[in-house]
Amino acid sequence: MRPVPIVPFLLAAAVAGCAQRATPAAVDPAAAYDIVVRGGTVYDGSGGAGVAADVGIRGDSIAAVGDLGSVRGRREIDARGLAVAPGFVNMLSWANVALLHDGRSQGDIRQGVTLEVFGEGSSMGPLTDSMRAEMIEEQNDIRYEVPWTTLGGYLEHLERRGVSPNVASFIGATTVRIHEIGYADRAPTPAELDRMRALVRQAMREGALGVGSSLIYAPANFAKTDELVALAQAAGEHGGMYISHIRDEGGRLLEAVDELITIARAAGVPAEIYHLKASGRANWGKLDAVIRKVDSARNAGLRITADMYTYPASSTGLDAAMPTWVQEGGHKAWVARLRDPAIRARVVAEMRGGTTGWDNAFANAGGPEGVLLVSFRQDSLRPLIGKTLAEVARMRGTSAEETAIDLVIQDDSRVGCVYFTMSEENVRRAAALPWVSFGSDGGSYSAEGVFLRSGTHPRAYGNFARLLGRYVRDERVVPLGEAIRRLTSLPATNLGIRRRGFLRPGYHADVVVFDPATITDHATFERPHQYATGVRDVLVNGVPVLRDGEHTGAMPGRVVRGPGWTGNAAAR
């Protein structure tokens, strides 16, 4: 990286809350920069090797990168012996609710994440009155008001409340479907589809990044390819992309990838595969064919990418272990059907593999021993957290399938689970791909308070540190500079967001200072609520949110808007 010439400037306004370790020039009123990150090895996000350089920050932006010599900052961060990188992008975050309770985002901030991207299939808007009531009714340990109706309104509400990371979102294809159709298994009428497309366009004007789908779940699974093409086209009119939890990650994995590529081609938009994987032992060998399909599409000019988490286990609910037809009509209808003996018998048969046509997470996990229970709504069931479905079935003296059905009814929820479905070899294979970025597919929690009432997948605390520690440093699957590119500039470029993803003058000062030699994830499936270590300092929009490995309490996060944002009063 060529150092940028340095031009001294007059004193800029100090950034609130950005006190750093004291240095002789820490309060120099004639300093040229608000903050200087001094003497680190800078990885600017372009993918190359790091270079020794300083980073000068003025206000919320990077002002200079290079040898600053004797030019001082009002505050200085000594980064000698450490890596300095752009803030990391969590391409698939479920922190959308957790941040309403605790805006510090400690699980991710302590790994260097400065941008949380929401919207895997469902989004926090747009909402009808009934959707808003349902959102309030289904709240669990975290209780929150819902004063917004639009996606843009939610994001701005979050910013006003105060959050440490930046936030962004796709509009959920499932959300707009429920908005106009409800939970019915049918195609939209032409008028309904027109209104769904209008909702996508409005969300794009509000700053959505594109449209996201999650096609193994009901009612998302009821959408046919032409419906998804129509929504993706509407997003593409405003520069947005299509991103998808594809229709099948197991037995029909290759057909599902083909569908995503078809949607991208027909809609004329970039497309991304959420959490790239081959689920189920019988399907592990299909990953190479998936890679060939994506490479072929990319060589033909389509912008196809993927993201992943760095674990061989997924996490979702027991709904993923049951066929989608039984879930038509929404949660209450699903629970009511499960009480019917004839329907229960049919569901049990399909869970055991009696029929095909849906992505059976129960089968992909190899049965109940591969299903770990991690969260419940009812206090009476919380002692089961940390047990496998097989263990609970033995305790109750019922079959695993009947036990899963009973737990959904008793908890009146989808019941949070971890499914052990993937191979470690495939995780390494995917982590080495140049078009793959990273997303936790989890929340961002504090290891305290209400968050400890439930278990979670360790990816919520360790996904990014695990990449940099295990797969970069220890196993050398990918070089450090390349890993940083795929944590920063690759997702930022794919998303079409401005002034983020690189350490360059004029870019927002989202900066991570970490030790490549010690960065480590500590969360496990048995003890998931453990912070990663090795990230020492994190700045968001020029404000320190992590200092010497401890959270400062600062909440400088902003809404990051996509390329279609109009910025006018109507969009706000």
Side-chain angles (χ1 to χ4, degrees):
M1 180 181 67
R2 177 180 295 177
V4 178
I6 307 304
V7 180
F9 290 86
L10 297 175
L11 172 66
V15 180
C18 66
Q20 289 290 330
R21 291 167 298 284
T23 69
V27 292
D28 182 358
Y33 302 102
D34 294 319
I35 298 175
V36 170
V37 182
R38 180 82 62 181
T41 300
V42 172
Y43 296 83
D44 71 350
S46 61
V51 298
D54 308 319
V55 179
I57 296 168
R58 186 174 299 108
D60 67 355
S61 300
I62 296 168
V65 180
D67 182 0
L68 300 190
S70 62
V71 180
R72 309 299 300 178
R74 297 189 73 248
R75 301 288 184 266
E76 298 233 344
I77 298 174
D78 182 357
R80 288 174 295 180
L82 303 176
V84 181
F88 303 155
V89 178
N90 186 346
M91 271 297 298
L92 175 47
S93 171
W94 283 107
N96 50 319
V97 170
L99 291 178
L100 288 167
H101 177 76
D102 183 349
R104 292 175 296 172
S105 190
Q106 293 216 74
D108 272 358
I109 286 292
R110 290 168 181 263
Q111 297 181 77
V113 173
T114 60
L115 174 59
E116 304 280 355
V117 182
F118 314 133
E120 184 200 3
S122 64
S123 54
M124 299 296 277
L127 305 175
T128 62
D129 289 344
S130 62
M131 293 170 71
R132 181 176 175 274
E134 185 178 54
M135 182 179 286
I136 294 170
E137 181 183 354
E138 293 182 353
Q139 290 173 13
N140 193 357
D141 293 329
I142 298 174
R143 313 295 299 182
Y144 56 95
E145 296 179 350
V146 186
W148 67 86
T149 58
T150 66
L151 178 57
Y154 159 76
L155 293 169
E156 292 188 349
H157 174 76
L158 202 57
E159 181 180 281
R160 285 192 300 269
R161 284 178 57 86
V163 288
S164 294
N166 299 307
V167 293
S169 185
F170 288 86
I171 182 170
T174 310
T175 300
V176 299
R177 182 172 237 274
I178 295 171
H179 194 284
E180 295 302 320
I181 303 174
Y183 295 88
D185 183 1
R186 65 171 177 83
T189 66
E192 288 168 340
L193 186 58
D194 284 345
R195 292 196 296 270
M196 291 164 65
R197 285 164 56 87
L199 290 171
V200 171
R201 294 185 183 104
Q202 178 61 29
M204 293 301 299
R205 291 191 292 269
E206 294 168 2
L209 302 167
V211 63
S213 67
S214 52
L215 300 178
I216 72 163
Y217 304 105
N221 179 263
F222 305 149
K224 301 297 188 282
T225 304
D226 58 349
E227 177 183 326
L228 299 168
V229 169
L231 298 183
Q233 285 175 331
E237 293 169 8
H238 299 271
M241 64 182 291
Y242 174 71
I243 189 167
S244 181
H245 179 145
I246 55 178
R247 201 174 293 273
D248 196 315
E249 297 172 329
R252 295 183 59 81
L253 170 62
L254 302 183
E255 293 87 344
V257 172
D258 286 339
E259 181 185 34
L260 176 127
I261 294 170
T262 295
I263 291 168
R265 182 181 294 111
V269 297
E272 178 151 320
I273 301 169
Y274 272 133
H275 40 61
L276 178 67
K277 66 171 76 76
S279 187
R281 180 178 293 273
N283 304 304
W284 289 351
K286 296 178 181 179
L287 184 62
D288 283 344
V290 170
I291 294 169
R292 288 194 297 271
K293 284 179 180 290
V294 173
D295 281 338
S296 177
R298 289 170 59 85
N299 290 337
L302 294 178
R303 288 174 53 195
I304 308 297
T305 52
D307 55 65
M308 65 174 291
Y309 44 81
T310 53
Y311 296 83
S314 63
S315 184
T316 182
L318 284 176
D319 52 336
M322 300 183 197
T324 54
W325 61 261
V326 76
Q327 301 169 54
E328 182 182 3
H331 176 77
K332 291 180 180 178
W334 174 32
V335 172
R337 287 193 188 95
L338 293 179
R339 297 180 186 275
D340 183 307
I343 292 177
R344 287 171 68 100
R346 181 181 169 190
V347 170
V348 167
E350 292 197 20
M351 289 176 69
R352 290 174 178 166
T355 62
T356 59
W358 58 288
D359 193 1
N360 188 337
F362 180 80
N364 290 339
E369 296 287 356
V371 183
L372 182 71
L373 303 172
V374 298
S375 66
F376 294 93
R377 291 183 73 189
Q378 307 300 326
D379 288 343
S380 61
L381 294 173
R382 293 184 195 271
L384 302 180
I385 290 173
K387 298 184 184 301
T388 67
L389 182 60
E391 289 175 311
V392 176
R394 287 192 291 269
M395 289 167 53
R396 294 184 168 205
T398 55
S399 73
E401 297 84 359
E402 291 278 359
T403 301
I405 291 171
D406 289 340
L407 289 174
V408 168
I409 295 170
Q410 292 163 11
D411 200 50
D412 195 23
S413 84
R414 63 199 291 256
V415 180
C417 306
V418 168
Y419 293 92
F420 293 88
T421 64
M422 293 99 76
S423 77
E424 181 63 37
E425 180 182 352
N426 278 352
V427 173
R428 293 189 190 93
R429 180 84 169 93
L433 296 169
W435 37 264
V436 170
S437 55
F438 298 89
S440 69
D441 198 6
S444 183
Y445 311 125
S446 293
E448 61 189 48
V450 69
F451 299 119
L452 300 183
R453 288 177 57 81
S454 292
T456 188
H457 191 299
R459 65 195 183 188
Y461 288 90
N463 187 62
F464 307 94
R466 186 176 177 86
L467 169 69
L468 295 170
R470 178 169 183 166
Y471 295 108
V472 172
R473 179 189 62 235
D474 298 341
E475 299 189 8
R476 300 186 178 182
V477 172
V478 58
L480 178 57
E482 171 63 7
I484 289 173
R485 180 187 73 86
R486 295 199 279 117
L487 287 166
T488 58
S489 66
L490 175 64
T493 301
N494 291 342
L495 295 170
I497 57 179
R498 305 175 183 90
R499 296 179 57 204
R500 299 189 193 271
F502 289 97
L503 289 184
R504 292 176 179 171
Y507 277 62
H508 290 288
D510 299 334
V511 182
V512 181
V513 179
F514 69 97
D515 187 349
T518 65
I519 190 166
T520 303
D521 64 296
H522 299 284
T524 65
F525 291 102
E526 296 75 24
R527 296 183 60 211
H529 291 286
Q530 299 188 80
Y531 296 129
T533 55
V535 174
R536 201 193 66 184
D537 294 272
V538 177
L539 285 74
V540 176
N541 299 313
V543 178
V545 294
L546 198 72
R547 181 188 305 128
D548 287 333
E550 295 299 325
H551 206 291
T552 67
M555 306 276 190
R558 299 175 184 169
V559 178
V560 173
R561 296 177 173 89
W565 182 55
T566 60
N568 60 27
R572 288 179 182 276

